[in-house]
Amino acid sequence: MSSLRSLYLRWCCQVQDFGLQHLFGMRSLRLLSLAGCPLLTTTGLSGLIQLHELEELELTNCPGATAELFKYYSQHLPHCMVIE
């Protein structure tokens, strides 16, 4: 899975912050969709800044995605398009 470039987990009610930690080592990941995942928190989502090569991050309808988090992403993932 280390060469995985796109991962769609949208509307997955089983994804939690602990599960996100497994993604942090996926250095080749370019596109990640977590839209509609209700159990993710701002704290868990903030760890995604470890994915330096991320180009697109979809967080539509994700309750843990706050305005502060989007600002944090703009500072730490400047080349990533974050879809609110």
Side-chain angles (χ1 to χ4, degrees):
M1 298 246 304
S2 62
S3 62
L4 190 67
R5 295 181 56 84
S6 299
L7 184 60
Y8 295 88
L9 296 173
R10 59 177 67 143
W11 301 105
C12 184
C13 295
Q14 302 302 317
V15 176
Q16 299 179 20
D17 290 348
F18 177 75
L20 286 182
Q21 295 175 12
H22 297 286
L23 302 180
F24 298 161
M26 301 176 124
R27 302 292 181 207
S28 62
L29 200 59
R30 302 293 184 267
L31 186 149
L32 177 60
S33 175
L34 297 170
C37 294
L39 301 179
L40 297 175
T41 68
T42 302
T43 302
L45 291 168
S46 66
L48 293 174
I49 64 162
Q50 296 179 50
L51 299 173
H52 302 288
E53 301 299 321
L54 205 58
E55 296 172 359
E56 184 175 325
L57 176 60
E58 182 182 12
L59 296 173
T60 309
N61 295 312
C62 191
T66 63
E68 293 82 19
L69 181 66
F70 293 123
K71 183 177 179 182
Y72 183 71
Y73 285 148
S74 69
Q75 295 168 349
H76 296 279
L77 291 173
H79 303 293
C80 181
M81 177 177 60
V82 180
I83 301 169
E84 303 177 30

